[in-house]
């Protein structure tokens, strides 16, 4: 089967990294660009290749993404579940606004995803919750075997103007240990349309 690959990893150069370091204390080693929050857990190698679904929730601007914003029947146990808001493309990775005024997932949605036993939650913004709720939420998810990948991009290329799309997600973290975050490369694979 032919496939079309989409790089979902944000490009970070020296200038963007300096801006990010100046605007967010959590952008320390391991938390730059596209990364997942491993907290005190080890990312299972079998999570590297997952069936995935992405939802277009771009109508929710700078607010709370809730269960009713998506078709929950598409979410299966063990999947990579991604949310496209367009925020990273609109605001740009690294700015103060990017880290403080991003969309976020409702507690009900986070709990729903944990109950569904998804493997990975992917977002095209800085975290599934804002401010003081960011780190405890990452830990809550990691404790349940769910990893959060932050700062994805190009999800619109997976959606192709649909409200949701199925694909295969390849997530390859750098093999660092003892860090709460691991930079990673995330690639989406879709059937090639002739």
């Amino acid at each position: 089967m032919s496939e079309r690959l989409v790089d979902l990893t944000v490009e970070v150069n020296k200038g963007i990294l300096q801006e990010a370091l100046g605007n967010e204390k959590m952008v320390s080693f391991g938390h730059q660009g596209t990364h997942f929050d491993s907290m005190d857990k080890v990312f299972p190698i079998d999570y590297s290749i997952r069936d995935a679904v992405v939802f277009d929730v771009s109508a929710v601007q700078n607010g709370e993404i809730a269960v009713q914003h998506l078709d929950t029947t598409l979410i299966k146990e063990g999947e990579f579940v991604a949310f496209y808001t367009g925020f990273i493309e609109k605001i740009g990775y690294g700015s103060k606004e990017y880290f403080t005024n991003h969309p976020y997932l409702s507690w009900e949605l986070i709990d729903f995803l944990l109950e569904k036993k998804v493997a990975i939650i992917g977002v095209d913004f800085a975290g599934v919750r804002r401010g003081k709720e960011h780190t405890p939420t990452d830990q809550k998810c990691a404790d349940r075997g769910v990893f959060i990948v932050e700062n994805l991009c190009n999800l619109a290329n997976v959606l192709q103007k649909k409200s949701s799309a199925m694909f295969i997600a390849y997530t390859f973290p750098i093999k660092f240990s003892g860090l709460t975050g691991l930079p990673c490369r995330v690639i989406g694979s879709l059937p090639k349309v002739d």
Side-chain angles (χ1 to χ4, degrees):
M1 175 172 91
S2 295
E3 63 184 337
R4 182 172 67 87
L5 300 177
V6 178
D7 193 345
L8 304 177
T9 313
V10 68
E11 182 177 341
V12 177
N13 60 39
K14 189 174 181 179
I16 291 170
L17 180 58
Q18 288 305 314
E19 181 180 12
L21 288 168
N23 287 318
E24 175 58 38
K25 65 179 180 163
M26 281 301 293
V27 179
S28 59
F29 190 68
H31 288 269
Q32 303 105 354
T34 304
H35 69 278
F36 69 85
D37 292 328
S38 56
M39 306 315 286
D40 55 352
K41 308 298 181 212
V42 175
F43 184 75
I45 196 156
D46 64 326
Y47 278 29
S48 296
I49 304 171
R50 293 274 125 180
D51 287 335
V53 60
V54 58
F55 294 99
D56 182 348
V57 290
S58 59
V60 180
Q61 291 297 312
N62 304 336
E64 188 172 77
I65 300 162
V67 173
Q68 62 265 26
H69 294 130
L70 47 135
D71 179 356
T72 57
T73 64
L74 299 176
I75 299 172
K76 309 288 186 259
E77 183 175 335
E79 281 187 321
F80 184 122
V81 179
F83 296 92
Y84 166 73
T85 65
F87 191 75
I88 197 166
E89 285 88 4
K90 179 180 175 187
I91 302 301
Y93 174 76
S95 69
K96 182 77 170 168
E97 182 178 1
Y98 181 80
F99 291 114
T100 58
N101 198 29
H102 60 81
Y104 54 95
L105 305 186
S106 71
W107 284 114
E108 180 187 15
L109 179 52
I110 292 167
D111 288 338
F112 173 82
L113 295 170
L114 292 175
E115 288 303 313
K116 275 292 208 180
K117 298 180 180 176
V118 303
I120 299 172
I121 300 168
V123 295
D124 65 351
F125 43 90
V128 296
R129 296 295 293 178
R130 292 181 186 165
K132 294 178 184 176
E133 293 181 337
H134 183 138
T135 301
T137 306
D138 291 346
Q139 187 67 61
K140 175 181 177 175
C141 291
D143 287 345
R144 299 276 296 271
V146 178
F147 294 92
I148 298 170
V149 176
E150 299 167 348
N151 311 316
L152 294 171
C153 65
N154 298 324
L155 288 168
N157 292 332
V158 176
L159 281 163
Q160 300 178 56
K161 300 183 180 178
K162 295 183 275 186
S163 62
S164 63
M166 309 301 283
F167 66 107
I168 303 294
Y170 296 89
T171 307
F172 300 106
I174 304 297
K175 195 172 183 178
F176 293 141
S177 64
L179 302 177
T180 59
L182 296 175
C184 59
R185 189 81 181 256
V186 182
I187 306 294
S189 173
L190 299 93
K192 190 177 261 186
V193 179
D194 295 327

